[in-house]
Amino acid sequence: MIGSRFRLTFFRDWPAASICRWLIALLALALAVALELPGPLGHSDFGNAWLRDNFIRWRVSSVEDQRVLVVDIDEASLTALGPWPWPRKRLADLVESLLQANARGVALDLVLPEKSDSGGDQRLAMLAQYGPLVLGQALTYTVRTPPLRVGHLASGGSWPASPAAGVAAQGYIANQAGFARAQQVGNIGFLPDQDGMLRRIPLQSAFDGRVYPSLSLALFNCCAEQHGPDETAGFALRARDHDFLALHFARSWASYTVVSALSVLQHQADIPISGRLVLVGSSALGLSDMVPTALSATTAGVMVHASALTELLDDSARAHKIAWPGRIVGVLFAALASLLATLAFPRLSAIASLSLLAAAALLWVLIAFWLSAHDPWFSTTAPLATLLFLLAVAVPFAWQVSQQRSHRLLGTLHQYLARPVVAALLRSNVQNPLLPQRVLVTTLIADMQNYTGQVESLSIEEATELTRMFLGCLTRPVLAAQGTLDKYTGDGLVAFWGAPLKQPQQADLALDAAKSILAEIFAYNVLRMNQGLPPLRVRIGIESGMAMVGDFGTAVRSFYTAVGDSINTAARLEQLARKLPHDVMIGPRTAAGSVRHALLCLGEVLLRGKEAPTMLYTFAPITSIATAATAASTASAVQGPRL
C-alpha cells in the first residue's frame, strides 16, 4: 500500500512540474536553433544587427592600413577642376598618375555609361584592357518595371554561374560599350538591410547566367600580390557559401589614407603611393554616393569598398585561420543555459534565478564579441533570446511551482506542526519533508481516564464541549513545545518530536509538553470543580526510539504519522498509568535523553508484547530538587514494584 502511494505521488505530482520544466527548456533551445538557422526563419533579427554594430564600434582599430589608398573626388577637387562628370581625359590622367607612382592597382568606384571625349575614352579602355585598372559597374537588386538596363554589362573576370551561386541581380547600370574588353570589372552596387544600414556587400552577384565579383574582390583578384590562385579560389568558394561579404569594419575611417584627386592630378600628393591598392571614388554630396554604416550615419561608398578590401587582405594574410562555428557555439550555449536553468531554478529563489540569467547573458555577450570577429554569419542574439524566454517563462513557472508547493506544504503541515516548526522547515528548503524516513523520535500518547463514564450522562452538546476542551488542554502544550501532532484518538492524542525536523532536545521537549498538559488539566479541573463537576484525569505515556515517519496511506487518503516499536511502548506506558498513581509514565530511552528534568525511577515492568522488562520513570515530586533527588535515589534502591 505504501509503495503504491509513493508511485502515485511520483507520477501525479513531481513529474508534472518536471515535465513542464524540461518542455520549457526544449522550447527555449528550439528558439535559439530557429534563430540560428540559415533559412528564412533564421533571418529574424532579434537585435542581432544592433549588437553586431556595437561590437564593431567596440572593436574598431585606428591602426593605419598602409596597403590601401583612397583617392577622393571631393568638393575641393570639383570646385577647382569643374563639376561632375569630368572629361575622360582627366580620369585617364588621374589613373596614369597613380600607376606611374607605382600603385599596385587602381579601381574606379564610378560608372561611365555615356561616351565622352574619344581620346580619354580610348586611353581608359586601353588601361582597363592591358593595365591593372578595374572599372566599376552597378548591379541592382530591386525588381523594376521595365527592368533597369543601362550601358553595356561587361564580363571582365566573371565566371559562369553555378546553381544557386551569387546574389540574384535584377538590372544594371554599366559602362559604355567602348569599355567592354576590360579585363577586370567590379560591381559597386549595394544591398542595404531592412533598416537601411549597410552591413554586407554582395561579394558575387548572378545575372543572366554569369557571376560578377564586387569591386573589392575584382581589385584583390587583379592586383593583390599576397595571394595566389589557391587563395582566389578560396574567396570564390566562400562567396558561394554566403554570397555576401560581412563588413567587419575592422579599421576606422581615420586609419585609411585619403588624398584629394586634385593633389594627385597636380602631383602634390605628399604620401607614398607605391605598392598600394588604390580606390578612386567621391565623398562629394552632389554625387550621392553616401550610405549609413555601423561606424557613421553617412559614409562614402568608396570607404565601404576600402573596408571590404581590407577584409579580403586580412583574410588572405591569415592563411591558417580557424573557422569557428558560431551557430554551433550559440546553440550549445543555449542548450547549456536551458539545462542549467532547468536544474537550478527549482532550488533557487527568484532573485538568484534572475542573477543566474544575468550572469549567463553577460558571459554570452563576451563570447559573442570574440566570436563575431571570426564568424560573421551566426546570430549573436539567439542565446539571448533563449535567456529572455527562460526569464519570461521558466522563472515565473518555478516561482509558481514554489508557491503551490509552499501553500500545499503549509496546508498540510499546519495540521500537524506548530507555526515556528513550519517556518523552520520552509527555511531548510527540504525538497519533500513528508517523504517517509527512519529517524529517532520521542512519542507522547495521552488520553482521558474513564472517558465513557464521564460523558455517558451528558448530552451530545455537553459531551462535545468536554471533548473539545480536554483535547485543547492536550494540543496547546504539544504545539507550544514544537511537537508534531500525529492524530487524535477520540479522547486523546498522539504526538512526537524529531520529525520532520531533527530536534536534538526532543526528549526534554516532550517532557516539557507533558508538564504543561498536567498544568492545563489542573487549571481546567479547578474550573470544573467550581462548577460542581468531577475532575478529569489524564494519562500520558512517553518513550523514544527509532521509527518510520512520513506520509502514509492510499491515493484516497493519507496522513503523516510515525510507525515503530517506540510508539507501541508509549501506548503501553499510557495504559499502565491506569494502575499507578502517577499520571505520566516515561520510558527508559526518554529518561536517558533528558538533561533538564528530574525523574523518579519506579522500577521495572514487563509490558505486554515485550520479552524483557522495561524500566519505568515519572516526574520527581516538585517539592524541591533535593527532595526529588532523594526520592529518585530511594526508588532506585528498592527497584520499585514489578508490575
Side-chain angles (χ1 to χ4, degrees):
M1 181 180 71
I2 295 175
S4 174
R5 167 63 181 168
F6 291 154
R7 285 192 295 271
L8 287 171
T9 301
F10 183 84
F11 284 107
R12 184 183 63 190
D13 297 329
W14 181 84
S18 180
I19 290 172
C20 287
R21 291 190 191 100
W22 287 110
L23 181 59
I24 291 172
L26 290 176
L27 290 175
L29 177 59
L31 178 60
V33 172
L35 291 176
E36 290 289 5
L37 288 175
L41 182 60
H43 288 163
S44 301
D45 185 78
F46 191 71
N48 176 49
W50 177 86
L51 189 57
R52 281 190 176 273
D53 289 346
N54 282 281
F55 286 167
I56 287 171
R57 287 189 281 270
W58 298 342
R59 187 186 294 114
V60 66
S61 170
S62 59
V63 177
E64 181 182 0
D65 190 344
Q66 298 182 352
R67 303 164 298 179
V68 179
L69 174 66
V70 176
V71 176
D72 186 12
I73 304 175
D74 54 7
E75 297 287 355
S77 300
L78 295 176
T79 301
L81 300 176
W84 190 262
W86 280 354
R88 300 294 159 74
K89 176 182 180 301
R90 187 174 297 156
L91 288 177
D93 290 342
L94 180 62
V95 173
E96 288 176 350
S97 296
L98 293 169
L99 294 178
Q100 288 170 4
N102 294 321
R104 184 172 295 162
V106 179
L108 299 181
D109 182 23
L110 306 166
V111 180
L112 309 172
E114 305 292 340
K115 291 184 179 181
S116 184
D117 53 293
S118 59
D121 279 344
Q122 186 175 6
R123 287 168 62 193
L124 282 177
M126 295 297 290
L127 288 170
Q129 185 174 358
Y130 298 107
L133 174 62
V134 179
L135 298 181
Q137 57 188 8
L139 293 170
T140 62
Y141 305 93
T142 303
V143 178
R144 297 186 182 185
T145 304
L148 184 62
R149 305 283 193 272
V150 177
H152 184 84
L153 192 62
S155 298
S158 64
W159 50 85
S162 60
V167 181
Q170 304 297 326
Y172 59 84
I173 302 176
N175 299 303
Q176 54 114 334
F179 300 139
R181 294 186 179 182
Q183 291 301 304
Q184 295 290 343
V185 182
N187 171 35
I188 63 174
F190 292 147
L191 186 59
D193 289 348
Q194 292 183 351
D195 60 358
M197 293 285 286
L198 189 64
R199 299 183 178 92
R200 55 185 181 168
I201 64 171
L203 193 60
Q204 62 175 14
S205 301
F207 183 80
D208 198 20
R210 298 190 69 82
V211 172
Y212 298 88
S214 66
L215 186 69
S216 54
L217 181 57
L219 180 59
F220 179 89
N221 288 339
C222 165
C223 309
E225 292 183 357
Q226 291 94 333
H227 74 88
D230 292 340
E231 286 81 2
T232 304
F235 284 117
L237 178 60
R238 188 175 81 167
R240 286 179 179 142
D241 286 341
H242 302 294
D243 294 332
F244 289 95
L245 175 67
L247 296 170
H248 288 295
F249 296 110
R251 308 293 179 98
S252 66
W253 303 139
S255 66
Y256 291 99
T257 303
V258 180
V259 298
S260 171
L262 178 62
S263 64
V264 175
L265 287 169
Q266 294 178 349
H267 303 286
Q268 294 178 351
D270 57 355
I271 51 93
I273 299 175
S274 178
R276 296 197 184 204
L277 298 173
V278 181
L279 288 162
V280 179
S282 176
S283 64
L285 295 177
L287 272 64
S288 302
D289 188 20
M290 307 296 289
V291 291
T293 63
L295 296 185
S296 58
T298 54
T299 303
V302 67
M303 299 305 296
V304 174
H305 293 299
S307 183
L309 183 58
T310 295
E311 184 74 20
L312 295 175
L313 292 170
D314 288 344
D315 281 353
S316 176
R318 294 191 289 264
H320 302 289
K321 181 181 178 182
I322 298 176
W324 291 96
R327 288 192 176 98
I328 295 177
V329 174
V331 170
L332 290 178
F333 187 93
L336 181 61
S338 301
L339 175 63
L340 181 62
T342 302
L343 297 178
F345 282 1
R347 297 168 175 81
L348 298 178
S349 65
I351 297 298
S353 298
L354 293 176
S355 301
L356 179 63
L357 291 179
L362 178 60
L363 176 61
W364 171 251
V365 169
L366 295 176
I367 294 174
F369 174 73
W370 172 81
L371 198 59
S372 63
H374 300 271
D375 184 353
W377 304 113
F378 75 102
S379 173
T380 58
T381 52
L384 295 180
T386 293
L387 297 177
L388 184 60
F389 183 85
L390 293 173
L391 173 63
V393 180
V395 172
F397 177 78
W399 180 85
Q400 181 67 23
V401 170
S402 177
Q403 289 297 306
Q404 290 179 351
R405 173 181 170 271
S406 297
H407 291 154
R408 184 168 59 250
L409 183 62
L410 287 172
T412 303
L413 295 184
H414 279 155
Q415 302 177 38
Y416 312 117
L417 306 176
R419 291 187 178 274
V421 177
V422 174
L425 188 61
L426 292 177
R427 288 194 300 270
S428 70
N429 198 29
V430 177
Q431 287 300 309
N432 191 353
L434 303 185
L435 189 68
Q437 54 184 327
R438 187 172 179 81
V439 294
L440 175 65
V441 298
T442 298
T443 304
L444 180 151
I445 299 179
D447 75 349
M448 183 191 305
Q449 181 167 301
N450 192 27
Y451 175 77
T452 303
Q454 293 284 355
V455 300
E456 62 183 359
S457 61
L458 301 178
S459 65
I460 295 178
E461 292 77 8
E462 292 173 334
T464 301
E465 178 64 15
L466 173 65
T467 305
R468 185 182 66 81
M469 294 295 294
F470 184 79
L471 292 179
C473 293
L474 304 183
T475 304
R476 285 188 294 272
V478 167
L479 296 181
Q482 303 179 22
T484 298
L485 180 60
D486 186 336
K487 55 181 169 287
Y488 290 111
T489 58
D491 61 331
L493 60 73
V494 178
F496 54 83
W497 285 256
L501 288 179
K502 292 183 179 180
Q503 295 168 305
Q505 300 181 9
Q506 57 179 266
D508 284 319
L509 291 173
L511 296 176
D512 289 342
K515 281 190 173 182
S516 296
I517 289 173
L518 295 178
E520 290 233 8
I521 295 297
F522 177 82
Y524 183 48
N525 281 334
V526 171
L527 180 62
R528 285 178 59 81
M529 288 187 291
N530 289 337
Q531 297 174 352
L533 299 174
L536 305 176
R537 184 195 178 197
V538 63
R539 304 189 308 259
I540 301 174
I542 305 174
E543 179 57 316
S544 303
M546 299 301 294
M548 184 67 71
V549 183
D551 190 21
F552 296 93
T554 67
V556 177
R557 184 181 180 187
S558 64
F559 49 91
Y560 188 72
T561 188
V563 179
D565 182 67
S566 62
I567 291 86
N568 296 331
T569 301
R572 300 290 185 270
L573 293 176
E574 180 268 328
Q575 295 169 3
L576 184 62
R578 302 176 185 176
K579 305 176 182 179
L580 296 176
H582 304 286
D583 294 333
V584 180
M585 295 286 100
I586 303 169
R589 294 181 181 177
T590 300
S594 173
V595 296
R596 293 192 284 103
H597 293 272
L599 302 179
L600 177 66
C601 181
L602 301 177
E604 293 180 330
V605 62
L606 184 62
L607 299 176
R608 181 166 55 87
K610 297 288 186 180
E611 296 181 357
T614 300
M615 188 67 70
L616 300 182
Y617 296 85
T618 190
F619 289 120
I622 57 175
T623 54
S624 69
I625 298 297
T627 304
T630 302
S633 176
T634 303
S636 297
V638 300
Q639 292 296 310
R642 294 185 61 85
L643 301 176

